[in-house]
């Protein structure tokens, strides 16, 4: 697989936020989201065998724990990735898979926690979501909407309502996360001013609409300097 980096940090933007986690970041992406903070993944990376990746993962976390497979878009390397994921599950690691929602997800083992983006208009990639992926989601998965504006919020709200995601039975409903986009060129203070959408406004809109979703913040951007990579 083509790998950009493997490192240990705190999970930053899901229901697992705050937990120690090993990140395996794969190279390559077929989307170009306007606010992408991972453009350094678009090209390059080192070719590594599954054995070499596993050795590094085990060095960083020898006794199991949380592994996040991310990118770029990891499912572009599906043919090698899925057997590797099965290997990690067999070793009792807990797996998160961050994906744009554009690639088919039917082949992902059900024990993996899928964190699936639904791109909104401010990303410039909002027509790329693969609707068939909704049928692959269970209660251990998450749908994430990254928002840059009120228009993005309304898009997310209508997507949730149109697909009746709030009314799926609780024991099979994926978590719904609405998260303000962060300025990709943010530097300096670790503050909400770096969000493209004011989290306070988003909170008010969600409460006014009684939207059964969670407001998420990218906590790593508030813990470490926003421009730092590999954290
Ligand atoms: S899908 Fe992710 S990595 Fe690809 S352009 Fe969008 S934000 Fe960046």
């Amino acid at each position: 697989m083509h790998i950009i980096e493997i490192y240990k940090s705190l999970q930053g933007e899901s229901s697992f936020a705050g937990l120690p986690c090993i990140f395996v970041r794969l190279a390559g992406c077929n989307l170009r989201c306007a606010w992408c903070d991972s453009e350094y993944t678009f090209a390059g990376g080192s070719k590594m065998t599954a054995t070499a990746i596993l050795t590094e993962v085990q060095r960083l976390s020898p006794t199991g724990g949380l592994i996040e497979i991310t990118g770029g878009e990891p499912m572009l390397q599906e043919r090698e990735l899925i057997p590797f994921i099965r290997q990690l599950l067999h070793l009792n690691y807990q797996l998160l898979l961050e994906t744009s929602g554009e690639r088919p997800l039917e082949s992902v083992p059900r024990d993996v926690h899928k964190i699936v983006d639904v791109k909104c208009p401010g990303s410039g990639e909002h027509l790329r979501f693969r609707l068939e992926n909704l049928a692959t989601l269970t209660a251990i998965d998450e749908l994430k909407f990254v928002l840059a504006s009120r228009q993005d919020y309304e898009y997310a709200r209508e997507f949730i309502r149109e697909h009746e995601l709030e009314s799926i039975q609780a024991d099979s409903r994926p978590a719904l996360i609405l998260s303000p986009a962060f300025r990709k060129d943010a530097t300096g203070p670790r503050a909400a001013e770096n969000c493209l959408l004011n989290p306070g406004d988003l909170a008010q809109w969600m409460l006014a609409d009684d939207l059964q979703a969670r407001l998420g913040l990218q906590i790593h951007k508030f813990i470490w300097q926003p421009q730092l990579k590999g954290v």
Side-chain angles (χ1 to χ4, degrees):
M1 281 172 275
H2 282 95
I3 302 293
I4 295 291
E5 55 190 355
I6 303 172
Y7 61 96
K8 187 174 191 173
S9 186
L10 298 181
Q11 214 288 336
E13 49 184 323
S14 72
S15 305
F16 295 84
L19 291 173
C21 182
I22 308 299
F23 291 82
V24 179
R25 188 179 298 283
L26 277 65
C29 188
N30 54 339
L31 303 191
R32 291 293 180 267
C33 301
W35 34 252
C36 177
D37 63 359
S38 305
E39 291 171 330
Y40 62 102
T41 67
F42 291 170
S46 308
K47 193 156 173 54
M48 293 178 73
T49 63
T51 303
I53 302 167
L54 184 58
T55 299
E56 181 61 3
V57 165
Q58 289 181 311
R59 185 185 71 79
L60 292 168
S61 187
T63 55
L66 196 59
I67 312 286
E68 175 164 321
I69 308 289
T70 186
E73 171 47 59
M75 287 301 286
L76 291 175
Q77 302 186 59
E78 175 183 359
R79 194 165 52 88
E80 294 164 288
L81 178 62
I82 297 301
F84 178 62
I85 283 177
R86 290 191 193 285
Q87 200 177 356
L88 288 171
L89 289 172
H90 186 68
L91 293 168
N92 286 328
Y93 285 102
Q94 192 175 20
L95 263 290
L96 311 181
L97 174 69
E98 277 259 10
T99 174
S100 70
E102 188 270 344
R103 307 304 303 167
L105 298 176
E106 288 84 0
S107 66
V108 179
R110 289 180 71 84
D111 287 341
V112 173
H113 300 263
K114 299 187 291 293
I115 303 171
V116 183
D117 278 350
V118 178
K119 303 294 184 188
C120 296
S123 71
E125 297 285 12
H126 62 293
L127 300 176
R128 304 291 293 273
F129 186 76
R130 185 182 168 87
L131 279 175
E132 293 89 337
N133 282 336
L134 290 178
T136 73
L137 301 178
T138 71
I140 69 165
D141 299 318
E142 313 196 349
L143 269 184
K144 178 157 63 78
F145 303 80
V146 177
L147 312 176
S149 65
R150 170 77 192 186
Q151 184 197 11
D152 279 358
Y153 167 73
E154 291 178 3
Y155 182 90
R157 182 191 63 198
E158 293 317 304
F159 187 98
I160 289 168
R161 300 247 153 110
E162 181 186 342
H163 297 287
E164 301 180 340
L165 299 172
E166 292 166 297
S167 53
I168 298 173
Q169 290 216 330
D171 59 359
S172 52
R173 183 196 312 152
L176 305 173
I177 300 180
L178 274 59
S179 181
F182 217 79
R183 293 182 196 284
K184 64 179 179 182
D185 55 356
T187 55
R190 296 162 284 174
E193 283 70 33
N194 285 321
C195 294
L196 293 172
L197 173 63
N198 183 335
D201 290 344
L202 176 57
Q204 284 187 0
W205 300 339
M206 291 172 69
L207 291 170
D209 288 334
D210 193 27
L211 196 67
Q212 298 302 306
R214 176 183 303 207
L215 193 158
L217 294 175
Q218 294 179 295
I219 65 166
H220 51 293
K221 301 277 177 76
F222 293 87
I223 298 171
W224 291 285
Q225 297 297 324
Q227 72 274 20
L228 285 183
K229 309 298 179 206
V231 294

